[in-house]
Amino acid sequence: MRITSINGVFRSIGTWQVAHRWPLLVVTVLISLFCLAGIPRAKFSNQSDDWFDDTEKVKVDSDHFKDIFGNDDSVMVLVQASDVFAPEVLQAIDQLGDELLASVPYADKVTSLTTVSVPTGTEEGFEVSSPFADGIPDDPKLLAEKKAFLLGKSSLKDHLVSSDATQTWVVLSLFPYDTDSEEAMIRVGDAARGVLASGRYTSSLYTMKATGMSYTEAEEHIVVNHETRVRVMGGFGVMLLCLVILVHSPRGVVIPILATFLGIGSVFGLSGWLGVEGNSTLVTLPILLGMALSVGYAIHLIDAFRTHFRQSCSRRQSAIDAVSECGWPILFTVLTTVVSLLSFLLADMKPMRWLGSISAAVVLAVYLFVMVLVPVFMSFGRDRVPSPEAVATQGATRADLLFGRFGRVVIARSPLVIAISIAVIAWSIPGLARTHVNMDYTQMMGKRIPYVARMLDILNSKLGSQYSYDVLVECPQEGAFKQAGTMEALDRFERYLGALSQTKVTDGQPRTTSVVRLVKEMHRTLNGDDEACYAIPEDDDLLSQELFLYEISDPETLFDELDEDYRYAHIHVELNGYDANQILKDISSAKDYGQSLFPGAKVSVIGQVVEYAAMNGKVVNGELKSFGGSLVVVAILLMVVFQSVLTGLVAMIPNIVPVLLVGGAMGWTNTPLDMMTMTIMPMILGIAVDDTIHLTTRIRFEMEDGTTTGAMAVERSFREIGKTMCMTTLILCSMFLVYCFSPMMALLRIGVLSIIGLGSALAADYTLTPVLINLLSKRKGKREE
């Protein structure tokens, strides 16, 4: 397929556009207005559940757990003081609990030092009550007794309160959400934040630091929305600045901005009409990508128009020539970019599929608006008289001529170019082998975000833990946990979980909790508070009686740990940090050990940390599928269009090198592969191939007369489009530079890695692409001889 023939087809399209420019503008305006009207309907969310299909086992187990034990979310406030049993601190804790109950939606109950119920021996034998049920005593001696009493409870020490009495929790349990979980979590978090930020709990005597899924979800919602606004506005500013600097024309600035706005707005408007829900964390990526590519496409057209206009000075004819010259390479670049982005559909994660489809739609939309608006608007206006100098240089500027000479130098230094390319590949491959997956939330968000820094402070405290999971044991028969043997097995299971590498330990006490601690505490109380009796009753009947006593005294607390049929029990495990690979090992061994302890029972592990750890494999699979899919399809497209398997494969080499370089940089700098950085490689491949297509197509066009050598074609092509290639890559890198100033590590990493990939892709197209094409043309010439 000859480039000259293809250009002829696009010349016909350009001629039709210019001849029907007014009807074309009217139709474009009407379609745009309809699409833009749907923007208010567009919805975005960032639920962790979105990353899992409903059919996945981890999601099914999590939903099953919630059906039995209710909401696994809570608002938790870590109180730190020199002595949390000081009257002023206890008063603040009590007041905070009351205010949270009164102010926070879905509030169920508060567990704190002032509300906790513990078993106490009485004349009748036993009762469950709060030591502070009658208020906080003024008598220091009485207060000291209550302090000693609570610190003497093994079930509370280093769980609810630290053994040195410097830290304690205020925990607000929540009823199940009756609406969209993200919306409910944000309402809960905002209300709790309002209470903590009121100033009533600021004191020199204590500090209060809040956490919990809903609390941090609300804070994340604020940060993500702010970052979205800042990055989009920053991107728009960068786009405007680049156009002003590079185009030097009011029309050349306004038209690309209009095409960008209409293209991106129309896609999100159509999403609103169709009810497609987007991801709030990822939404800036398609917007900035659309801005950058839209301007890039427009600059190719505008630069070609200006080159022809300097020669002919006919606006209509120059617009037609620009479409003829740029129409095919731009369309081809759009196709390869869209294909690369659509490869995200192969990932088994809903947000990634949304990102791929919406980004592909944005790229296609901005392309259509650019191809309609730029030639049409550039065709309006007065013609000029051609300048003899412009005619002599075929419209080339001094910069164009410099790029032409640069192309000649590159061909002359072919061995050096190949040697450097091999060295880059040799450096990248070992680094690529060092890449690892890590879905650590705090690392993805970054310590520069205040609430993440607070989360890490809590994590490093004695009682604090940001990460935890629950192990659910489901016995086949009712009343299973009224049997001493089953309860003893649960105790052994809890001790086993406490010894795992990722389980947090405070002052030698593993941070695991279950109904076992209630049973042991109750048994000790009924036996004169003898520490030797802090154990599970050995007799089934005695265990059943004690459980019955607890059930009628404090059923709410008991059934937080057991179900009412005594078939289900769960063990809550707090972690000392986040190491996804080790967590997966711990979970696997926990399931195996649990299954050996409870033959015939179902043992499952649930919790957000489990979901994130399970995503490790999904991220790897998604990355391999996405990148592999885009690599294969782009290679096939190049082979088909260039009508040569060899030429297609050669054209892929300069585009694989930047991907290898990005992967190598990630490995050598210990940058993890996560749900955000996994987007980089397929995206870089899709965008990097654009300049390769423009350059390769132009070189082929120059060689179609049969008299032009490869070296001459490279020089002419550099003169014609070398400057434009630099301009478009500069705009792309400038857009991603906006991410580099984000406090969110995930966005910063995307910005840095994208700039590395796009910059190296341009370097490869300036050096390796022309060298390989020249070598290929020489080989072809020798074969024909």
Side-chain angles (χ1 to χ4, degrees):
M1 188 183 299
R2 291 174 60 84
I3 303 299
T4 306
S5 302
I6 299 175
N7 287 355
V9 174
F10 279 91
R11 179 174 295 277
S12 300
I13 295 173
T15 303
W16 183 89
Q17 283 182 262
V18 172
H20 300 85
R21 53 190 179 179
W22 282 111
L24 194 57
L25 285 176
V26 171
V27 172
T28 302
V29 169
L30 293 176
I31 292 174
S32 300
L33 290 175
F34 169 77
C35 293
L36 294 175
I39 289 180
R41 297 170 174 263
K43 293 182 179 180
F44 301 91
S45 70
N46 188 33
Q47 298 187 71
S48 59
D49 288 353
D50 287 345
W51 296 87
F52 294 87
D53 294 328
D54 289 339
T55 55
E56 292 191 60
K57 187 178 186 304
V58 65
K59 178 74 165 53
V60 172
D61 289 342
S62 179
D63 291 341
H64 183 51
F65 180 88
K66 291 176 183 178
D67 289 339
I68 300 167
F69 293 106
N71 199 339
D72 60 346
D73 190 11
S74 61
V75 175
M76 305 171 66
V77 181
L78 181 67
V79 182
Q80 295 173 295
S82 58
D83 183 3
V84 294
F85 286 92
E88 297 86 355
V89 180
L90 289 175
Q91 290 285 359
I93 289 173
D94 197 44
Q95 181 182 339
L96 175 62
D98 291 342
E99 193 168 353
L100 288 174
L101 275 174
S103 305
V104 176
Y106 303 99
D108 180 9
K109 67 174 183 176
V110 169
T111 302
S112 69
L113 287 177
T114 61
T115 64
V116 64
S117 296
V118 291
T120 308
T122 64
E123 292 183 359
E124 289 77 17
F126 169 82
E127 71 172 4
V128 178
S129 62
S130 169
F132 295 102
D134 298 325
I136 299 165
D138 297 325
D139 182 359
K141 182 179 178 181
L142 182 57
L143 184 59
E145 290 176 358
K146 293 182 180 293
K147 174 181 177 179
F149 173 75
L150 288 173
L151 289 176
K153 297 295 181 181
S154 301
S155 59
L156 301 180
K157 188 173 66 176
D158 289 326
H159 289 283
L160 180 65
V161 60
S162 61
S163 56
D164 61 3
T166 60
Q167 297 179 12
T168 186
W169 282 112
V170 178
V171 181
L172 176 67
S173 301
L174 302 169
F175 287 115
Y177 299 135
D178 58 1
T179 184
D180 176 79
S181 61
E182 185 187 31
E183 177 187 341
M185 289 171 74
I186 291 173
R187 286 177 57 202
V188 167
D190 284 342
R193 287 179 64 252
V195 172
L196 270 297
S198 65
R200 291 186 291 276
Y201 302 100
T202 302
S203 172
S204 60
L205 298 176
Y206 57 82
T207 60
M208 292 187 175
K209 299 175 181 177
T211 186
M213 285 191 294
S214 54
Y215 199 91
T216 54
E217 181 75 21
E219 292 182 302
E220 180 186 329
H221 182 72
I222 293 170
V223 170
V224 168
N225 285 347
H226 175 264
E227 281 300 299
T228 299
R229 290 193 299 270
V230 170
R231 299 311 135 198
V232 170
M233 291 173 62
F236 179 79
V238 168
M239 177 180 70
L240 183 61
L241 184 63
C242 288
L243 286 171
V244 170
I245 293 174
L246 299 176
V247 178
H248 307 293
S249 163
R251 194 183 314 202
V253 172
V254 173
I255 298 171
I257 289 176
L258 180 62
T260 302
F261 171 75
L262 294 178
I264 296 173
S266 295
V267 170
F268 282 100
L270 279 176
S271 295
W273 284 119
L274 297 173
V276 177
E277 187 175 77
N279 184 278
S280 56
T281 302
L282 300 174
V283 70
T284 59
L285 201 54
I287 293 175
L288 291 184
L289 192 62
M291 288 181 181
L293 291 177
S294 174
V295 174
Y297 301 151
I299 282 182
H300 273 289
L301 278 171
I302 292 171
D303 208 45
F305 169 85
R306 293 168 69 177
T307 299
H308 289 287
F309 189 60
R310 282 192 290 268
Q311 299 177 69
S312 68
C313 288
S314 168
R315 286 193 170 275
R316 289 195 176 200
Q317 187 58 47
S318 297
I320 293 170
D321 289 340
V323 174
S324 172
E325 183 178 299
C326 299
W328 169 239
I330 292 178
L331 175 60
F332 193 15
T333 62
V334 169
L335 291 176
T336 53
T337 302
V338 166
V339 164
S340 293
L341 293 170
L342 288 178
S343 68
F344 288 138
L345 295 176
L346 299 174
D348 298 326
M349 291 171 278
K350 179 182 174 183
M352 298 308 301
R353 294 196 294 268
W354 174 83
L355 176 64
S357 57
I358 201 74
S359 298
V362 165
V363 170
L364 187 59
V366 296
Y367 160 75
L368 292 174
F369 277 99
V370 165
M371 291 303 296
V372 169
L373 296 181
V374 172
V376 166
F377 277 108
M378 297 304 286
S379 69
F380 286 106
R382 296 180 181 179
D383 293 340
R384 298 177 185 173
V385 177
S387 163
E389 182 182 350
V391 173
T393 61
Q394 296 181 316
T397 63
R398 289 183 180 179
D400 295 328
L401 296 174
L402 284 174
F403 272 99
R405 287 196 288 273
F406 173 66
R408 190 166 61 245
V409 171
V410 168
I411 295 301
R413 302 288 188 275
S414 294
L416 178 62
V417 168
I418 293 175
I420 292 175
S421 300
I422 293 173
V424 170
I425 294 172
W427 176 86
S428 300
I429 290 177
L432 187 63
R434 290 165 57 97
T435 56
H436 65 285
V437 181
N438 192 353
M439 302 295 294
D440 190 339
Y441 176 83
T442 57
Q443 286 192 28
M444 284 190 287
M445 297 301 289
K447 297 179 183 179
R448 290 191 294 168
I449 297 176
Y451 83 86
V452 177
R454 188 189 69 246
M455 287 166 56
L456 291 172
D457 285 343
I458 293 174
L459 177 63
N460 294 325
S461 67
K462 286 188 174 183
L463 293 185
S465 177
Q466 175 61 29
Y467 304 109
S468 63
Y469 59 81
D470 283 272
V471 180
L472 178 64
V473 179
E474 178 181 351
C475 294
Q477 73 279 3
E478 291 184 8
F481 285 101
K482 289 183 178 181
Q483 300 173 12
T486 308
M487 191 66 74
E488 179 61 38
L490 189 67
D491 186 25
R492 291 200 302 274
F493 196 13
E494 184 174 346
R495 290 198 300 270
Y496 178 84
L497 294 172
L500 293 176
S501 64
Q502 292 295 291
T503 302
K504 183 163 186 172
V505 177
T506 301
D507 292 338
Q509 178 72 28
R511 298 289 296 282
T512 59
T513 54
S514 73
V515 71
V516 169
R517 65 190 176 96
L518 300 181
V519 171
K520 289 181 176 180
E521 201 70 71
M522 178 170 48
H523 188 62
R524 182 174 70 174
T525 301
L526 291 172
N527 287 274
D529 239 8
D530 183 359
E531 183 63 31
C533 293
Y534 186 75
I536 297 169
E538 297 179 358
D539 182 71
D540 290 352
D541 291 337
L542 181 57
L543 174 61
S544 296
Q545 291 173 18
E546 292 184 0
L547 287 171
F548 177 71
L549 286 173
Y550 213 117
E551 182 177 339
I552 60 176
S553 301
D554 189 10
E556 192 172 17
T557 299
L558 180 65
F559 293 135
D560 281 344
E561 312 290 349
L562 285 169
D563 76 305
E564 296 184 8
D565 293 329
Y566 293 88
R567 283 185 58 198
Y568 300 88
H570 70 96
I571 303 171
H572 184 71
V573 182
E574 297 179 29
L575 305 181
N576 54 28
Y578 187 93
D579 182 333
N581 294 325
Q582 191 58 50
I583 289 171
L584 288 173
K585 291 179 182 177
D586 284 1
I587 289 171
S588 177
S589 61
K591 287 182 178 179
D592 292 342
Y593 187 73
Q595 212 65 62
S596 68
L597 287 174
F598 302 96
K602 177 183 177 183
V603 178
S604 52
V605 185
I606 52 90
Q608 198 171 54
V609 70
V610 182
E611 295 173 356
Y612 274 91
M615 282 175 64
N616 269 27
K618 297 187 70 171
V619 167
V620 173
N621 291 333
E623 176 72 15
L624 291 174
K625 289 180 181 178
S626 181
F627 178 68
S630 61
L631 185 69
V632 170
V633 176
V634 169
I636 291 173
L637 283 174
L638 290 173
M639 293 175 193
V640 171
V641 171
F642 292 142
Q643 295 181 306
S644 167
V645 173
L646 183 59
T647 303
L649 292 176
V650 167
M652 284 298 296
I653 294 173
N655 298 293
I656 294 175
V657 173
V659 175
L660 292 176
L661 185 61
V662 169
M666 290 179 66
W668 290 119
T669 60
N670 203 34
T671 300
L673 189 65
D674 55 39
M675 63 179 70
M676 299 294 283
T677 54
M678 71 173 288
T679 65
I680 297 294
M681 292 185 186
M683 185 178 66
I684 291 298
L685 177 63
I687 299 174
V689 77
D690 290 3
D691 283 339
T692 304
I693 290 170
H694 280 286
L695 185 60
T696 305
T697 302
R698 186 71 198 191
I699 292 173
R700 286 187 64 208
F701 173 75
E702 295 290 344
M703 295 177 64
E704 280 187 348
D705 61 4
T707 61
T708 305
T709 64
M712 293 170 59
V714 167
E715 181 179 351
R716 293 178 185 176
S717 298
F718 268 60
R719 185 185 66 193
E720 293 294 326
I721 65 171
K723 180 182 69 178
T724 308
M725 289 166 57
C726 179
M727 290 165 62
T728 54
T729 300
L730 178 63
I731 292 169
L732 279 165
C733 290
S734 299
M735 286 292 186
F736 282 105
L737 184 64
V738 172
Y739 279 145
C740 295
F741 298 99
S742 173
M744 288 178 59
M745 282 301 298
L747 295 184
L748 187 150
R749 288 168 179 161
I750 287 179
V752 172
L753 293 173
S754 296
I755 290 172
I756 292 173
L758 294 170
S760 60
L762 179 64
D765 281 322
Y766 274 156
T767 56
L768 190 56
T769 298
V771 166
L772 292 175
I773 292 176
N774 184 51
L775 292 175
L776 194 64
S777 66
K778 286 183 178 180
R779 177 178 178 275
K780 182 179 179 181
K782 289 181 179 180
R783 189 172 64 245
E784 289 176 352
E785 290 176 3

